[in-house]
Amino acid sequence: MSHFFADDGAKIHVSISGEGSPIVMLHGWTSSHREWFPFLEALTAKHRVYRWDARGHGGHPLGKHAAATAERMARDLENLLDHYALNQVTAVGHSMGALTLWQYIRDFGTKRLSRLCFIDQSPKLLTDESWEHGIYGGFDDGKAREMMAWLKEDFAEAVLKLTAFGLNQRAREKYLAGASGWERSRAALRAQDPGPLIDCWASLTAADYRDVLNRIDVPSMLVYGQESNFYSVETAHHVAQQIPKAVLHIYEGTDHSPHQWQRERFARELMAFIDPQT
């Protein structure tokens, strides 16, 4: 692992692999740079891949530095691009990573970006009477307050329940059955410091990037799970309609992490998107 220091002094860890034009990969909430490990062999054949642990993530202590808000992580991304002198970047964001990219575009524009890939995310997580494309198609302020209380009471179990009791019936069944994969996730979540992650969640649920989508002026690839735990296929199509030049892929039979369920397809389609001439 390498690292750089953000402009508030926070140490941000980055794994760097391969040679060629840059790809920056931004993981989801509670995850780390390891989320992207399965794709390294395919991507590093032609590209230099930067995979960070967002502040407050990856087991790295945040200390007294600023909380991992969407705004702060977007600034961290700009600091990363500055530190490694990166331009013409392909940026890939899953879940929280997509929100970070939308915040980055709001704050810094697209001048340093050449292509974007957003994986299974809505531009506004909370729903209301005028917005049905957030979490579950029905996750309002009241449910957000309830979720926050659960996170503070038992962080790991709250995260698992958020994932299990959504739109994916298979996830619900596996959770209730105590499947081994859920047990591993529970152990991993319990090993993390919940405070910074709870603060991060509060920032993400407060965000609204609907106004950013139609300002994206570089080619964008969208990947959504047909059986996402959180978002309907209608959400995917809505986002695709709002972003100019967007190409939408729906991965059949997959959840909120479609790239993990169909890894070879994702790597192939991402490479074709980045290098269409090959």
Side-chain angles (χ1 to χ4, degrees):
M1 292 287 287
S2 183
H3 67 270
F4 68 96
F5 290 97
D7 58 16
D8 71 341
K11 186 177 183 179
I12 309 295
H13 293 255
V14 186
S15 180
I16 305 171
S17 309
E19 296 295 337
S21 59
I23 302 175
V24 175
M25 310 192 85
L26 309 178
H27 60 76
W29 183 58
T30 76
S31 189
S32 74
H33 74 281
R34 294 179 180 86
E35 175 176 339
W36 307 110
F37 180 78
F39 312 104
L40 284 184
E41 183 176 357
L43 299 181
T44 56
K46 294 184 178 180
H47 299 279
R48 190 162 179 82
V49 178
Y50 297 78
R51 300 175 294 141
W52 76 0
D53 288 337
R55 67 170 57 208
H57 291 72
H60 302 299
L62 186 58
K64 297 181 180 179
H65 299 293
T69 64
E71 294 85 355
R72 182 60 253 188
M73 290 186 289
R75 190 164 188 84
D76 291 344
L77 177 56
E78 178 72 355
N79 293 163
L80 181 153
L81 301 185
D82 284 342
H83 180 81
Y84 295 106
L86 302 182
N87 289 289
Q88 291 297 300
V89 172
T90 294
V92 181
H94 171 225
S95 192
M96 180 185 80
L99 297 173
T100 302
L101 283 175
W102 286 328
Q103 181 70 49
Y104 177 87
I105 292 166
R106 171 178 286 166
D107 294 343
F108 300 99
T110 61
K111 60 184 180 296
R112 304 182 78 164
L113 307 173
S114 63
R115 293 179 184 273
L116 299 166
C117 177
F118 303 104
I119 304 175
D120 210 69
Q121 189 54 282
S122 167
K124 184 177 186 294
L125 274 59
L126 298 193
T127 59
D128 54 37
E129 63 278 358
S130 64
W131 178 249
E132 62 182 6
H133 294 301
I135 295 173
Y136 306 158
F139 195 88
D140 59 15
D141 285 331
K143 290 186 177 179
R145 289 192 296 272
E146 183 180 46
M147 177 65 186
M148 183 60 71
W150 290 352
L151 287 169
K152 292 177 179 178
E153 179 181 349
D154 187 336
F155 176 77
E157 212 59 40
V159 175
L160 295 180
K161 287 180 177 179
L162 179 71
T163 305
F165 295 107
L167 304 180
N168 187 297
Q169 178 65 29
R170 181 176 54 196
R172 183 181 296 107
E173 293 170 353
K174 293 288 187 181
Y175 172 83
L176 293 173
S180 60
W182 288 88
E183 290 298 329
R184 289 192 296 273
S185 295
R186 181 176 287 110
L189 287 165
R190 285 180 174 164
Q192 301 194 53
D193 180 3
L197 298 173
I198 293 172
D199 290 342
C200 182
W201 172 257
S203 170
L204 301 180
T205 53
D208 183 352
Y209 300 112
R210 289 176 291 179
D211 65 312
V212 174
L213 301 185
N214 62 13
R215 292 159 44 191
I216 297 174
D217 57 1
V218 296
S220 300
M221 171 177 160
L222 310 180
V223 178
Y224 283 79
Q226 186 186 48
E227 299 176 20
S228 172
N229 311 68
F230 306 118
Y231 307 115
S232 67
V233 172
E234 287 74 24
T235 297
H237 285 287
H238 174 84
V239 174
Q241 290 166 3
Q242 298 303 307
I243 299 178
K245 304 180 183 179
V247 176
L248 172 62
H249 299 280
I250 304 291
Y251 283 23
E252 300 79 6
T254 67
D255 60 16
H256 182 54
S257 297
H259 55 311
Q260 298 291 356
W261 285 98
Q262 296 188 23
R263 292 175 176 178
E264 291 183 3
R265 175 183 175 182
F266 175 72
R268 181 177 66 252
E269 291 180 343
L270 181 60
M271 287 293 286
F273 173 68
I274 299 172
D275 303 310
Q277 72 280 4
T278 59

